[in-house]
Amino acid sequence: MAIVDLANAQLQQAGAGAAAATMREDDDGHDHEQESSYDYGACLMKGVRHLSDSGITRLPDRYVLPASDRPGAATVLISPSSTIPAAAGVAVGRVKLPVVDLAGLRDPSHRSAVLATLDAACRDYGFFQVVNHGFGSEVSGGMLDVARRFFELPLPERARHMSADVRAPVRYGTSFNQAKDAVLCWRDFLKLVCQPLREVVPRWPQQPPDLRDVATRYATASHALFMEVMAAALEALGIPAGGGVLGELAAASSHMMTVNCYPACPQPDLTLGMPPHSDYGLFTFVLQDHVEGLQVMHDGRWLTVDPVPGSFVVNVGDHLEVRTSTATGGTRACCTGCA
């Protein structure tokens, strides 16, 4: 799965267990008597971009988390090798994820060292960052740009792609699972099925006019990156020739692109962009903009990822954990929760 995250600086921590960003109190001088007549119920399912654009200054009740689930207020700097226990009431820290350099992976003299880093990252963290992946700025930057312009389209244009069918080749929606979420998440999304690419692209949005071309280039490049990292991970785990997995994936695989939008939030310490969760696939590649919002769980603590410019954050998914646990007789130590 490929994820493109677009966050606004007013929702600095779009992940789970995030540190509180600056909040605007209810006594900020806004006319709340007028605001109280705002029809929140009619607007909730239109998504958070619609709510943000409407100029709200307080969070609708449907987005307010119970106090125990809200973002934490403390931030601690730790290193990847740190084993500092979480202090009482401290929910959030920072982490520099292991870095896998694909340039070294492609160099026979450095390949074994990079494979060792990849192996340790998968076993000990379940997350790593990939650098020197070969994506040009026109591919990754182009995808971020067209994604922003999609969410800037008028609501009726975006709403054309709303669907309750989770198998639809294109699906626009809000929250995590708005039909079942007891508390809604501050997130709108566009999901694009990418396999088989030639068949699904004609059903993708026609606006912005260059979305199909830009997203096709990005989907093609991200799938090639997935295959390279998948091959390296299987090699690192000592599974000969991928155990037939690579051939199966080359012939037919599930590939989805999810574009997440986290617009300005009036009270970001009361909500989350995404709930704690694990990803069900083999690998998830996350392309972020400049806002630091992604968090992962490690050693029982939610940690904000220090991004490496130009990198992808890679999450080991449930399917790879199950398959490699069966093949190697072991399991990785970390939790795969992410946001």
Side-chain angles (χ1 to χ4, degrees):
M1 177 184 289
I3 293 180
V4 180
D5 276 345
L6 302 170
N8 185 283
Q10 288 182 259
L11 187 60
Q12 288 288 332
Q13 307 297 343
T22 301
M23 126 182 191
R24 287 183 287 171
E25 300 287 348
D26 281 347
D27 60 352
D28 57 4
H30 287 81
D31 185 355
H32 294 290
E33 180 178 356
Q34 180 179 2
E35 183 184 69
S36 65
S37 64
Y38 188 86
D39 190 355
Y40 287 114
C43 296
L44 288 176
M45 291 303 102
K46 295 180 181 179
V48 295
R49 180 63 193 251
H50 177 77
L51 287 171
S52 180
D53 289 348
S54 72
I56 62 170
T57 58
R58 65 178 177 86
L59 203 64
D61 291 343
R62 284 292 306 279
Y63 292 91
V64 178
L65 289 166
S68 60
D69 297 335
R70 294 174 190 172
T75 301
V76 180
L77 181 64
I78 65 174
S79 68
S81 59
S82 174
T83 56
I84 299 174
V90 177
V92 178
R94 300 185 68 87
V95 64
K96 295 183 183 295
L97 292 176
V99 174
V100 174
D101 186 343
L102 292 192
L105 188 68
R106 297 159 185 158
D107 183 343
S109 64
H110 294 93
R111 185 174 179 84
S112 60
V114 176
L115 288 175
T117 298
L118 175 59
D119 182 37
C122 291
R123 293 179 186 275
D124 299 336
Y125 281 84
F127 297 90
F128 53 91
Q129 299 196 70
V130 168
V131 298
N132 292 324
H133 40 68
F135 272 63
S137 59
E138 71 281 0
V139 176
S140 56
M143 188 65 225
L144 286 170
D145 175 67
V146 79
R148 290 190 186 94
R149 286 186 282 118
F150 172 83
F151 285 103
E152 291 170 354
L153 292 172
L155 177 61
E157 181 64 35
R158 286 178 276 138
R160 293 175 56 188
H161 306 290
M162 287 183 176
S163 173
D165 180 8
V166 296
R167 299 180 183 275
V170 55
R171 184 166 166 249
Y172 174 76
T174 191
S175 192
F176 190 69
N177 184 339
Q178 67 187 63
K180 298 182 179 180
D181 292 340
V183 179
L184 297 177
C185 297
W186 194 260
R187 168 229 191 191
D188 288 346
F189 64 82
L190 174 68
K191 293 188 176 181
L192 303 175
V193 172
C194 301
Q195 287 289 96
L197 197 56
R198 289 185 179 180
E199 295 181 16
V200 296
V201 168
R203 302 178 67 179
W204 287 357
Q206 292 182 302
Q207 297 296 326
D210 57 339
L211 184 145
R212 291 180 178 179
D213 288 340
V214 173
T216 294
R217 289 194 295 271
Y218 183 83
T220 301
S222 63
H223 187 263
L225 177 61
F226 160 74
M227 293 295 291
E228 182 175 11
V229 173
M230 186 70 191
L234 294 172
E235 181 180 346
L237 290 164
I239 301 177
V245 176
L246 295 179
E248 295 173 9
L249 292 174
S253 61
S254 175
H255 181 195
M256 177 181 290
M257 186 190 311
T258 301
V259 185
N260 294 321
C261 176
Y262 308 101
C265 179
Q267 295 174 293
D269 62 331
L270 301 181
T271 189
L272 292 172
M274 291 273 274
H277 67 280
S278 62
D279 289 344
Y280 62 84
L282 294 166
F283 280 122
T284 298
F285 292 80
V286 183
L287 174 66
Q288 297 174 262
D289 63 9
H290 65 285
V291 177
E292 298 179 8
L294 181 67
Q295 295 191 333
V296 302
M297 179 173 277
H298 181 65
D299 288 340
R301 302 180 65 198
W302 284 109
L303 307 173
T304 298
V305 174
D306 283 338
V308 175
S311 72
F312 284 89
V313 173
V314 184
N315 176 17
V316 176
D318 298 337
H319 280 86
L320 184 58
E321 179 181 7
V322 171
R323 184 175 186 95
T324 54
S325 295
T326 302
T328 63
T331 185
R332 55 189 170 82
C334 75
C335 170
T336 58
C338 72

